[in-house]
Amino acid sequence: MRSPSSVLNSLASKSEDSTYIYKRLYRNLYNPEFYYIAYQKIYAKQGNMTQGVDGKTIDGMSLKRIDNLIEALKTESYQPKPVKRVYIPKKNGKRRPLGIPSMDDKLIQEVVRMVLESIYEGTFSKSSHGFRPNRSCHTALMEIKKHFDGTRWFIEGDIESFFDNINHHKLISILRRRIQDEKFINLIWKFLRAGYLEVWEYHKTHSGSPQGGIISPILANIYLNEFDKHVEQTIIKFNRGTQRKLNPTYSKINKKLTKLRKVLQEEELSEDKQRDIILTIKELREKRSNTPVVKPHDEDFKRMYYTRYADDFLIGMIGGKQEALQVKQKLAEFLKDDLQLNLSQEKTLITHSSKPARFLGYDVMISRNQDRKMCKDGRMRRTKSYTCTLNVPHEKWVDKLKDLRVLKITPNDTWKPVHRASLIHLDDLEILQIYNAQIRGMYNYYKLAKNVSVLNKFYYHMKYSLYKTFANKYKTSINKITNKYCENGVFTVTYSTKKGVQKSMLYSEGFTCNTKIKANESYDLLVNEQKNKGETSLIDRLKATTCEWCGKTNIPLEMHHIRRIKDLKGKAKWEKWMIGRRRKTVALCHECHRDLHNGKLD
C-alpha cells in the first residue's frame, strides 16, 4: 500500500483546483499505516483515558484492534457509537455540554480528518484562522492589527449555536461538490447521525457536528468556507476608490502656510511684521496638526476587512453606519437562506471605532492619537492616527484572578491576594509550577497587546497569593517564607534529582509586547512518519511482539496507557519502571496486561 504521506500529498496537490473531483477515497481507510499515524498523534491526550459509551479507552490499543476496525470498514458494517454527553460548568453559572466519543471512533475520525484536510486546506480563505495548520488566535489577531487601520465601524459577528445547528443535508451537498465516493460520504453521514447518550438515554442528532469529534473542526471550516467566499464577494462589491481625497480644509491651511513662508523669504519686512507672520505660521501649523489630511467621510473611498476564527468574526469598515447595518443584514440573510444558520442579534454588534471591539478576548481599538513623529525621510507625520491596536481588557485579568480564587475584593473595594487551600496538600515544586504555568499562560496569550504591561498587576496578586499559600501550608508568616525561599529577590524552590540539586524560580521575565508568533507545528505526515520510525515509536513497540515486562517474544501486544505520570505512586514495580523511563505507555502481552489491571503483575 502507498504511504500515507504520498496519498495525502497527492490529494493536496489537486486541492486548489476547484473543478477537480476526488474519487475512491474510502479505500485509503483500509491502509493500517494511516491508523498508526493517527494513534501516534492522539495517544497523549488525557481525554483518551475517559470511557466512551462502549466502556473502552485508549488503554489496550493493539494491532488486532486496528485490524478489526479496518475489517468492519471493508464490509461497511462499522457503526459509530453514540457520544456520551456530560456537562461542565460555565462562568455565567450555566452548563456547557461536552461530548465524549468512543476511542475507536476517534481513531477513524482522525484518519478521515487527515484526508479532508488534504482536500480542503488549499481552498480555505486566508481570512479563516480556526482549527487550521500554522494558524491560531494569534494569527487572526495579527491579521486584524495589520489590515484594519483606518476602520470607522466594526461588525462583531457571532453565529448562534453554530456547532449545534450545522445542517447535515447542506453539509453533505457541499462535500459532494468535490467528493464522488458514496462509501466515504456515507461514513461521514454515520458520524453526523450517531446521536448521543445523556444519563443513558439515547437521543438522535438531526443537526450539528459530532460533539467532541475530531472531524468536527474540519467539517465546520468546510461549512463556513461558503460564508467566507460570500463575504469576500461582498468586499469586492463594497470596496471603492484607490485612495482618499485630500481634505479641503487641510489644503487651504497648507496654501496659507506656503504663501506666508514665501512672504518671509522674498519680501523685506519690519521686525514687527515678521513677528506677526511667524506667530500666524505657528498657529496655522497647530491648526493643521489637528486637521485630518484626507476627507473624513469620502464617499468615493470605501474599504471592508474581514477575519474569522471558528464561529466568531470581525469586520472593519471604512464607510458609514448605515452601510454597516446593510452589510450586517445581508450577511444574516445569507446565513439564514443558504446555510440555515442564525446570526446572533444579541451578540452581533455594530461598534464605532472610537470604542473598542471585542474579538478573541482582546480589545481591538483604532487610535485617535494625532501626535507627530519624525520619520526616516526627515518629515513629521502622525504615525499613530487611525492605526489598529490590540489591548488586554481590564476585566479579563481581574476575572482570571477571581476564577483562580487568588483575589478577594472586600465590600469597600479593597483588593486582597489570598492563599489557595486546594494546593496546600501538594509539594513545593508542584505549587510553584502551577503558579508559573498560569502566569505564563496569561502572558503568552496576551503578549500581542500594546498594554500587556498591565499584567504586572496580575503578577503582583499571583506572587503574593503564592507567598500566602506557602505560609498557610507551613503555618508561618509571609516574611519567614520569603526569607527562606527567595534568592536575589526571586522565589526559588530547590529540589533533588538524579542530576543533582536543581532550582525552579517564580516567573520573573516581565511582560513586554511581543508580536512574534511561533507558527503552530503543522501535521507534516512525512516528518511524523520519519519520527515514528524511531526506537521509541508506539507502533514500533507494538510491532516488536516482545512484552516489555516479561520478555516473551512472538506474541501480540497491548499498549497500557496511564493519564499522567505524576498519578503513579511508585509502589508497584511496573509503576517504578514507567516513572524511571518517563513513559505513559508500556507494551505488554495479554497476560501481563490482565495481571496489571488485577494488581497481580508484581
Side-chain angles (χ1 to χ4, degrees), residues 77 96 144 161 201 208 218 265 332 386 416 426 435 450 474 492 554 600:
S77 60
R96 184 192 305 278
I144 288 170
S161 302
E201 183 179 347
I218 184 70
Q265 291 172 359
Y386 283 92
K416 184 180 178 182
L426 302 176
Y435 274 89
K450 182 182 178 182
Y474 292 107
T492 305
N554 298 319
K600 300 177 181 178

Side-chain angles (χ1 to χ4, degrees), residues 531-547:
K531 286 181 182 178
N532 294 344
K533 298 298 181 185
E535 293 179 357
T536 59
S537 162
L538 284 178
I539 299 303
D540 282 351
R541 289 162 62 200
L542 276 177
K543 288 180 177 178
T545 65
T546 300
C547 178

Side-chain angles (χ1 to χ4, degrees), residues 44-51 100-101 106 563:
K45 296 178 181 178
Q46 292 184 17
N48 292 326
M49 291 300 294
T50 303
Q51 292 181 354
I100 303 172
K106 286 182 183 180
R563 193 180 294 270

Side-chain angles (χ1 to χ4, degrees), residues 541 546-551 557 559 577 583 585-589:
R541 289 162 62 200
T546 300
C547 178
E548 293 178 346
W549 186 257
C550 69
L557 301 178
M559 192 67 73
W577 185 92
R583 280 184 179 171
T585 58
V586 54
L588 303 172
C589 62

Side-chain angles (χ1 to χ4, degrees), residues 464-530:
Y464 275 90
S465 171
L466 173 69
Y467 293 167
K468 289 188 176 184
T469 300
F470 271 78
N472 194 273
K473 177 180 179 179
Y474 292 107
K475 307 301 180 187
T476 185
S477 67
I478 289 177
N479 281 340
K480 289 181 179 179
I481 287 295
T482 54
N483 289 336
K484 178 181 178 182
Y485 285 94
C486 286
E487 296 182 12
N488 299 319
V490 180
F491 192 90
T492 305
V493 170
T494 303
Y495 59 100
S496 300
T497 67
K498 292 180 180 179
K499 297 179 181 179
V501 176
Q502 304 288 325
K503 292 182 178 181
S504 182
M505 296 181 289
L506 179 65
Y507 178 86
S508 58
E509 297 164 26
F511 303 94
T512 57
C513 181
N514 181 3
T515 56
K516 292 181 180 177
I517 301 173
K518 290 182 180 178
N520 292 346
E521 288 187 10
S522 59
Y523 187 44
D524 184 341
L525 286 165
L526 186 59
V527 171
N528 276 277
E529 279 188 335
Q530 291 170 348

